[in-house]
């Protein structure tokens, strides 16, 4: 009976703590690329180009991918399905395009966990041949799963992948003069 009381108390404590843990989280990475902003924008605005720079595309060369709509325009949807649990299954839809500046997308994760996130890639000119690129993600975890945010460093987990992706983009764009 004491064991049951301890288990119930522990679960109640977790649920109580989760009430006070933020549900929302944000991740942002940036990198300077030695290219004009228009060239960078004209590259990242197409989701199919993520195959060359985004980390997740390289995790499973046999991932199934489908595309619908006009790439680079709102309404374009990129769908993926992988047996690799780090990649999973989901889709990314372009929601908004600010010509020459940014694209905003919605990520809808299906497997291994359902979830939704808003992402944005933006470019800011720093000079004639130098620009800052930012990659942002905003999402949330439902109660009581938000309790896990106490133990998960989303900046480290997702931010590392964004940093690698931006490094890949930098390498690709700077070597393709």
């Amino acid at each position: 009976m004491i064991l049951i009381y301890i288990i119930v108390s522990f679960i109640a404590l977790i649920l109580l703590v989760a009430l006070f843990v933020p549900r929302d989280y944000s991740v942002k990475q940036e990198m300077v690329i030695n290219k004009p902003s228009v060239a960078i924008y004209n590259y990242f605005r197409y989701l199919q180009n993520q195959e060359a720079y985004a980390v997740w595309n390289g995790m499973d060369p046999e991932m199934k991918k489908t595309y619908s709509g006009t790439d680079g325009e709102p309404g374009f949807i990129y769908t993926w399905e992988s047996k690799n649990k780090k990649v999973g299954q989901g889709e990314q839809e372009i929601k908004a395009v600010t010509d020459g500046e940014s694209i905003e997308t919605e990520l809808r994760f299906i497997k291994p966990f359902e979830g939704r996130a808003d992402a944005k890639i933006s470019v800011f000119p720093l000079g004639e041949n130098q620009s800052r690129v930012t990659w942002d993600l905003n999402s949330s975890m439902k109660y009581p799963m938000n309790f896990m945010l106490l133990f998960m460093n989303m900046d480290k987990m997702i931010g590392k992948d964004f940093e690698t992706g931006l490094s890949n983009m930098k390498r690709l764009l700077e070597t393709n003069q």
Side-chain angles (χ1 to χ4, degrees):
M1 197 63 168
I2 293 174
L3 182 60
I4 292 173
Y5 177 73
I6 291 171
I7 291 171
V8 169
S9 296
F10 181 71
I11 292 170
L13 179 64
I14 289 173
L15 294 173
L16 181 64
V17 170
L19 286 171
F20 300 99
V21 174
R23 293 184 180 114
D24 299 330
Y25 62 90
S26 298
V27 176
K28 181 177 183 177
Q29 287 291 330
E30 61 181 52
M31 183 160 292
V32 173
I33 298 178
N34 296 313
K35 276 293 221 198
S37 63
V38 69
I40 298 168
Y41 170 78
N42 285 332
Y43 181 73
F44 72 64
R45 75 176 283 184
Y46 299 104
L47 290 186
Q48 291 185 49
N49 285 338
Q50 287 185 6
E51 291 183 29
Y53 67 86
V55 172
W56 310 283
N57 286 289
M59 290 182 177
D60 182 3
E62 297 186 21
M63 173 176 25
K64 295 178 189 172
K65 304 170 190 170
T66 59
Y67 307 97
S68 62
T70 304
D71 198 357
E73 299 294 329
F76 177 78
I77 299 175
Y78 158 54
T79 304
W80 72 90
E81 186 175 351
S82 171
K83 293 179 182 177
N84 182 329
K85 288 185 179 183
K86 290 183 179 180
V87 179
Q89 180 182 355
E91 60 186 21
Q92 182 176 20
E93 179 178 355
I94 297 177
K95 293 303 228 176
V97 174
T98 303
D99 197 37
E101 294 177 17
S102 65
I103 65 163
E104 296 177 43
T105 64
E106 179 181 43
L107 291 150
R108 297 180 287 266
F109 303 101
I110 300 167
K111 290 182 182 175
F113 301 104
E114 286 190 21
R116 193 192 142 304
D118 295 313
K120 183 177 183 179
I121 301 178
S122 305
V123 64
F124 306 92
L126 298 175
E128 188 176 318
N129 288 308
Q130 193 175 59
S131 307
R132 183 177 73 238
V133 179
T134 63
W135 197 348
D136 302 74
L137 180 123
N138 297 293
S139 190
S140 62
M141 288 185 132
K142 293 181 182 179
Y143 172 85
M145 298 306 288
N146 62 313
F147 180 79
M148 294 190 319
L149 288 173
L150 291 173
F151 307 100
M152 299 170 71
N153 184 337
M154 299 309 267
D155 272 327
K156 188 175 180 181
M157 292 170 58
I158 298 170
K160 179 182 162 207
D161 290 344
F162 280 7
E163 183 178 10
T164 301
L166 289 170
S167 292
N168 291 341
M169 183 188 297
K170 177 181 176 75
R171 180 182 40 79
L172 287 165
L173 290 172
E174 289 181 355
T175 57
N176 286 330
Q177 304 292 333

